Amino acid sequence: MGNKTDIKYLSPVDIELRQQNKYCRFKKMGIDYIDYKDPEFLMRFLNEQGKILPRRITGNSLKFQRRLATAVKRARQIALLPYVADNLK
Amino acid sequence: MTTYETVFIMNPVLSEDQVKETVKKFVDHIKSNKGKITNEENWGLKKLKYTIQKKKTGFYYLIEFQADGQMINDFEVEFKRDERVIRWQTVKLEKFALAYADRRKKKLSTNAKAE
């Protein structure tokens, strides 16, 4: 007979871990053009290996995530951003 | 007349006047094809984030110009033929990009005046 004391939750308890609601940084700040020429700004959206962070982490809207991706790829083309890096930050 | 923006990287072994000469060559090429230069920026010697043709640095140069579309193909061939330029990229400037470019020009000119 299992002891009666331990309570088994049928549905997993969802713990609010991530911040409440992510916002699209570009919409909020009213930026309309992501410039591929300043790497400092673009680097915020790359992880340590130089990969583009996914939307679920940065919270970007689809429209701006695509523009960001093209800007990063253009910056990589002219060697402002690395394709592969080990300690970017 | 659509506006384009070309950033190209020149070989770091070039001397100062060779860099000027290559830039002049491309500027003349645009002008001869009825293009109009709206902005030029010399970023000078910068470190590349990865080695291109076994080089770690390069002279960056930016040319913003207005031209018609057919001219761009042989402009690119011009780059391909010139071995002093190791990397180039031509980008068409759309609505938002144009507004951004103008803001950037104003900002740079004010900085230049401030110094």
Side-chain angles (χ1 to χ4, degrees):
Chain A
M1 279 280 291
N3 53 17
K4 291 193 183 42
T5 56
D6 58 346
I7 304 143
K8 288 205 174 29
Y9 292 102
L10 288 180
S11 66
V13 177
D14 52 353
I15 309 139
E16 281 303 311
L17 283 179
R18 54 176 178 74
Q19 44 167 250
Q20 283 336 90
N21 39 18
K22 283 202 173 67
Y23 57 88
C24 172
R25 190 193 298 227
F26 297 101
K27 258 190 266 182
K28 198 179 248 295
M29 284 207 282
I31 302 173
D32 44 18
Y33 175 68
I34 303 172
D35 189 17
Y36 66 91
K37 295 190 290 295
D38 59 347
E40 287 76 24
F41 178 70
L42 294 177
M43 237 180 242
R44 269 183 243 154
F45 299 96
L46 303 181
N47 65 1
E48 280 70 31
Q49 291 152 10
K51 294 163 133 185
I52 303 173
L53 288 174
R55 274 177 61 212
R56 55 185 166 77
I57 292 181
T58 56
N60 289 340
S61 67
L62 178 60
K63 181 164 104 166
F64 285 104
Q65 179 73 10
R66 284 201 185 124
R67 287 186 191 173
L68 176 78
T70 51
V72 165
K73 286 164 191 166
R74 282 179 182 163
R76 285 176 178 159
Q77 174 90 16
I78 48 173
L80 292 176
L81 284 181
Y83 282 94
V84 160
D86 43 11
N87 49 6
L88 194 61
K89 292 286 182 319
Chain B
M1 292 282 272
T2 53
T3 54
Y4 294 96
E5 187 182 58
T6 304
V7 180
F8 55 97
I9 310 174
M10 278 166 277
N11 205 326
V13 297
L14 295 180
S15 68
E16 244 340 280
D17 50 6
Q18 278 169 332
V19 166
K20 284 195 184 53
E21 188 201 324
T22 45
V23 166
K24 214 177 88 48
K25 179 183 136 185
F26 290 112
V27 165
D28 296 347
H29 185 276
I30 296 174
K31 287 207 174 81
S32 62
N33 293 46
K34 298 185 292 305
K36 191 167 75 63
I37 312 277
T38 52
N39 183 21
E40 279 181 52
E41 280 171 32
N42 185 356
W43 296 351
L45 196 67
K46 273 179 82 154
K47 218 175 106 38
L48 304 177
K49 281 292 193 306
Y50 53 89
T51 60
I52 300 175
Q53 294 177 8
K54 302 188 179 45
K55 309 262 181 329
K56 284 223 178 320
T57 57
F59 287 104
Y60 277 76
Y61 203 85
L62 175 127
I63 303 179
E64 192 190 308
F65 60 97
Q66 286 178 351
D68 54 358
Q70 293 79 12
M71 184 275 238
I72 296 297
N73 286 345
D74 52 16
F75 189 54
E76 297 271 322
V77 166
E78 198 76 30
F79 274 114
K80 208 175 286 183
R81 207 177 285 139
D82 187 336
E83 75 277 359
R84 287 168 298 194
V85 178
I86 51 177
R87 185 69 57 101
W88 66 91
Q89 184 181 29
T90 308
V91 166
K92 183 174 167 185
L93 293 188
E94 290 301 327
K95 172 156 56 70
F96 291 122
L98 269 173
Y100 180 82
D102 298 343
R103 281 202 302 270
R104 182 187 158 96
K105 262 179 276 179
K106 268 196 280 300
K107 189 156 56 78
L108 287 183
S109 56
T110 47
N111 291 359
K113 271 202 231 45
E115 271 136 31

